């Protein structure tokens, strides 16, 4: 019969239409501005810079090593290194970016900057409503707009951020141990120097006493 | 119908001037024509409704992909390959990764191969679902079939977003493996999507396969003979619809495709209807592969830790890596001179090479059929123009 196939198709359409009143699976539309789909954890959009603590300027993890600038495929990152140094997340003295710009009208969200960053300082954001009147200046993000706190990073990518924080805690513990060891070594050296001067003055026994303390230098 | 095809078979392009120029109409379809899947122009010479001559004009979306890749690092070109065939980015990554792995002699861990097969076959499902929707849209079934297809595509894109972070431009594969492992719960979500997919296929077949209008529009339209398909280097579902038994998954056994039990569907006539139906059959086979891969996937590392991300320099040499992408044979040819960037980088795009037979398929058909024939070739202009 001519038209049988068409009727069969219409039945399918009707089933979907009527089903949309009862089944959530058939009504997949979301009324966007009022209603938003839940954020998927792995989602990525544009990069941002992570800072620790409360001060965006002081806590910035970036040390201006310029690896991301070099590896970025469309070359949308612009960094200027500072002249002076400030302590970084683990307490070492490092350079910091005097200028850090990302042109998000050029960025293609490929995430290669995140992969190559050795300091876990650049991460991907999930903000998507970024429309702007100003095509050039409005889409060129500066350091101040890019810097976002570690707490924010923890809310958007919890699993990833937890791993990064654990890694940093380990690094800090190591650094603290190193500082402690250095202090102990200094103390031991001082003791030794004192003992040496004492030994010169009085008895050679003090030299052997200083030895076990010196073991802290390893 | 058969009378019409006999009539068209007698028309020779060389006789066109003899008909007299005043009777012919030269028409530019595109580049902004909605049915041309992007910015693609066809200069057609018409005698009434009938196409006498067709000249494809492309390059509107040319963005120097190959030359840019020659000045980028090897990893730096990976996100650009996403933008070739932007519907199936992971298979593009895969072909490029295979070429670089051949060049540098990198082994891929077991789990990464499984993840590649799973994401690659999901890409095939997504591409074919899209194509069916677009083809129906071209035929005038506005909206409904395309929306049904996009509803399914959305589920697969959500899976991709959960795994790779992006819905379309996944940038997922790396040389020697994949970028990230599947997060907790992802594999179960993927199993659910794959288990529900056959229901969509059944629904879609009910919706349109028996439809008389569809049959009239597609059967005996745009016939591609087996000989022409082989001679013109056509690959993928389009060649298989003409009866050419050529599937690189079966021929090369690249990755781990020799472990899966699946069949290669073939068409008989090579008309638009066969090209339409072969996509249904391929999707059903893809589901079989996905079920097997998701059952067998082992634990383990996902990337070879020895492979460098920065400062990656393969030794001098050349390599050609190819895969069966949803559209056909996608190949990357690389020449290395030992530097950070390839000396020569060439893409063998399946869409472009499948498009070369467009004139042969369209001559003698009606103008309205040209749109349908173009739709059935399954082109993406990002890949045609590069």
């Amino acid at each position: 019969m001519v038209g049988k196939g068409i009727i069969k198709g219409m039945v399918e359409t009707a089933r979907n239409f009527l089903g949309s009143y009862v089944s959530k699976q058939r009504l997949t539309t979301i009324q966007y501005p009022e209603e938003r789909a839940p954020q998927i954890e792995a989602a990525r959009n544009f990069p941002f810079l992570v800072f620790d603590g409360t001060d965006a300027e002081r806590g910035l993890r970036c040390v201006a090593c310029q690896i991301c600038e070099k590896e970025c495929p469309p070359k949308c990152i612009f960094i200027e290194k500072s002249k002076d140094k400030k302590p970084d997340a683990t307490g070492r003295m490092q350079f910091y970016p005097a200028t850090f710009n990302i042109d998000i009208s050029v960025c293609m969200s490929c995430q290669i900057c995140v992969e190559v960053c050795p300091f876990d300082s650049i991460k991907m954001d999930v903000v998507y409503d970024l429309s702007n009147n100003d095509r050039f200046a409005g889409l060129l993000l500066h350091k101040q707009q890019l810097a976002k706190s570690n707490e924010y990073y923890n809310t958007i990518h919890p699993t990833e951020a937890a791993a990064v924080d654990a890694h940093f805690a380990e690094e800090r513990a190591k650094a603290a141990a190193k500082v402690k060891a250095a202090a102990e070594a200094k103390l031991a050296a001082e003791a030794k120097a004192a003992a040496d001067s004492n030994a010169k003055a009085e008895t050679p026994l003090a030299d052997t006493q200083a030895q076990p303390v010196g073991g802290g230098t390893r | 119908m058969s009378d019409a095809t006999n009539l068209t078979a007698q028309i020779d392009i060389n006789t066109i001037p003899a008909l007299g120029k005043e009777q012919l109409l030269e028409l530019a379809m595109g580049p902004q024509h909605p049915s041309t899947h992007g910015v693609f122009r066809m200069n057609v010479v018409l005698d009434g409704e009938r196409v006498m001559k067709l000249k494809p004009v492309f390059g509107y979306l040319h963005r120097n992909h190959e030359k840019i890749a020659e000045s980028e690092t090897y990893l730096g070109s990976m996100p650009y390959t996403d933008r070739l065939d932007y519907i199936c980015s992971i298979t593009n990554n895969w072909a490029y990764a295979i070429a670089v792995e051949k060049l540098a002699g990198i082994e891929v861990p077991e789990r990464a191969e499984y993840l590649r097969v799973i994401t690659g076959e999901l890409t095939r499902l997504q591409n074919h679902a899209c194509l069916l929707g677009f083809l129906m849209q071209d035929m005038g079934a506005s909206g409904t079939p395309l929306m049904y297809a996009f509803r399914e595509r959305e589920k697969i894109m959500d899976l991709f977003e959960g795994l790779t972070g992006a819905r379309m431009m996944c940038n997922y594969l790396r040389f020697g493996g994949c970028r990230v492992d599947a997060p907790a719960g992802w594999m179960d979500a993927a199993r659910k999507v794959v288990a529900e997919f056959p229901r969509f296929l059944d629904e879609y077949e009910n919706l349109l396969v028996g439809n008389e209008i569809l049959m009239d529009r597609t059967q005996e339209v745009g016939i591609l003979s087996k000989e022409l398909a082989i001679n013109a280097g056509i690959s993928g579902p389009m060649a298989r619809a003409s009866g050419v038994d050529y599937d690189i998954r079966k021929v090369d056994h690249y990755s781990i495709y020799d472990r899966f039990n699946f069949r290669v569907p073939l068409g008989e006539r090579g008309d638009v209807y066969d090209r339409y139906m072969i996509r249904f059959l391929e999707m059903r086979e893809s589901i079989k592969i996905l079920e097997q891969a998701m059952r067998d996937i082992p634990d383990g590392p996902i990337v070879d830790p020895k492979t460098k991300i920065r400062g990656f320099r393969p030794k001098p040499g050349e390599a050609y890596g190819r895969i069966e992408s949803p559209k056909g044979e996608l190949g990357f040819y690389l020449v290395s001179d030992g530097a950070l960037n390839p000396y020569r980088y060439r893409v063998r795009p399946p869409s472009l090479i499948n498009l070369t037979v467009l004139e042969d398929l369209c001559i003698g058909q009606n103008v309205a059929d040209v749109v349908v024939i173009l739709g059935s070739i399954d082109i993406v202009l990002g890949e045609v123009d590069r």
Side-chain angles (χ1 to χ4, degrees), chain A residues 1-10 12-17 25-28 39-45 67 70-75 107-112 115-118, chain B residues 72-73 75-80 83 144 148 151 155 158-159 161-166 169-172 174 179 183 196 199 202-208 210-213 309-311:
Chain A
M1 189 189 100
V2 177
K4 201 174 139 201
I6 296 176
I7 291 166
K8 212 168 135 193
M10 289 297 182
E12 201 59 56
T13 323
R15 192 181 294 155
N16 266 290
F17 172 62
Q25 212 181 4
R26 290 192 197 271
L27 185 71
T28 48
Q39 189 69 52
I40 293 174
E41 197 191 320
R44 63 178 142 96
N45 199 354
I67 291 174
K70 210 170 119 197
E71 295 289 327
C72 174
K75 303 276 180 282
C107 176
M108 59 178 184
S109 313
C110 66
Q111 188 173 62
I112 282 178
E115 276 169 68
V116 296
C117 181
Chain B
E72 280 295 343
T73 57
L75 178 64
S77 321
M78 187 61 97
Y80 285 115
R83 279 123 181 113
T144 311
Y148 285 11
R151 187 185 63 201
K155 292 175 189 165
D158 280 348
L159 282 183
E161 192 176 3
L163 178 61
T164 71
M169 303 298 144
C170 296
N171 185 18
Y172 179 53
R174 289 290 172 270
R179 185 162 56 76
E196 281 173 2
R199 214 199 70 186
D202 294 340
E203 180 187 283
Y204 213 79
E205 277 189 17
N206 276 340
L207 186 67
L208 282 163
N211 189 307
E212 286 79 3
I213 303 170
I309 292 185
R310 288 176 56 220

Side-chain angles (χ1 to χ4, degrees), chain B residues 132-324:
Chain B
L132 298 179
F134 289 143
L135 190 58
M136 291 305 110
Q137 179 87 1
D138 290 348
M139 259 176 241
S142 353
T144 311
L146 183 65
M147 287 304 127
Y148 285 11
F150 266 45
R151 187 185 63 201
E152 299 308 309
R153 182 191 179 213
E154 199 67 23
K155 292 175 189 165
I156 295 174
M157 288 208 299
D158 280 348
L159 282 183
F160 283 167
E161 192 176 3
L163 178 61
T164 71
R167 293 152 63 76
M168 284 175 82
M169 303 298 144
C170 296
N171 185 18
Y172 179 53
L173 302 197
R174 289 290 172 270
F175 315 131
C178 303
R179 185 162 56 76
V180 285
D181 203 346
W186 186 85
M187 205 56 86
D188 292 327
R191 280 196 190 98
K192 195 164 158 253
V193 169
V194 172
E196 281 173 2
F197 210 82
R199 214 199 70 186
F200 157 72
L201 291 179
D202 294 340
E203 180 187 283
Y204 213 79
E205 277 189 17
N206 276 340
L207 186 67
L208 282 163
V209 167
N211 189 307
E212 286 79 3
I213 303 170
L214 177 99
M215 290 191 185
D216 261 10
R217 290 294 304 275
T218 56
Q219 287 179 345
E220 304 289 330
V221 169
I223 295 177
L224 173 68
S225 69
K226 195 173 174 178
E227 290 69 39
L228 182 61
I230 293 170
N231 292 342
I234 307 299
S235 55
M238 199 173 160
R240 291 194 285 276
S242 297
V244 184
D245 187 3
Y246 185 68
D247 187 322
I248 298 166
R249 289 175 293 177
K250 288 282 188 193
V251 176
D252 272 14
H253 293 304
Y254 67 90
S255 188
I256 46 166
Y257 273 111
D258 48 348
R259 297 186 196 174
F260 303 118
N261 175 26
F262 68 102
R263 292 162 68 197
V264 179
L266 292 180
E268 274 178 356
R269 288 165 166 267
D271 54 6
V272 174
Y273 190 73
D274 272 6
R275 288 202 278 281
Y276 171 69
M277 286 307 291
I278 203 132
R279 264 111 186 177
F280 272 111
L281 300 172
E282 279 199 5
M283 280 199 271
R284 293 202 189 272
E285 295 303 319
S286 281
I287 290 169
K288 270 194 216 166
I289 298 176
L290 278 167
E291 280 167 353
Q292 293 170 50
M294 285 174 173
R295 190 191 60 207
D296 298 342
I297 184 164
D299 287 334
I302 50 146
V303 74
D304 186 352
K306 276 182 293 185
T307 319
K308 283 204 270 181
I309 292 185
R310 288 176 56 220
F312 174 71
R313 290 169 195 266
K315 54 188 179 304
E318 55 176 4
Y320 179 68
R322 61 174 191 171
I323 64 158
E324 178 73 28

Side-chain angles (χ1 to χ4, degrees), chain B residues 114-125:
Chain B
Y114 273 93
L115 278 170
R116 284 177 178 197
V117 168
I118 290 168
T119 48
E121 292 302 321
L122 281 172
T123 307
R124 196 180 311 277
L125 289 183

Side-chain angles (χ1 to χ4, degrees), chain A residues 173-189:
Chain A
K174 255 189 217 166
K178 217 172 165 185
V179 168
K180 208 176 152 197
E184 270 175 19
K186 205 178 162 195
L187 223 74

Side-chain angles (χ1 to χ4, degrees), chain A residues 91-105:
Chain A
R92 264 186 308 173
M93 293 305 278
Q94 296 272 23
F95 289 106
Y96 62 92
T99 316
F100 196 117
N101 294 344
I102 295 182
D103 189 349
I104 58 165
S105 64

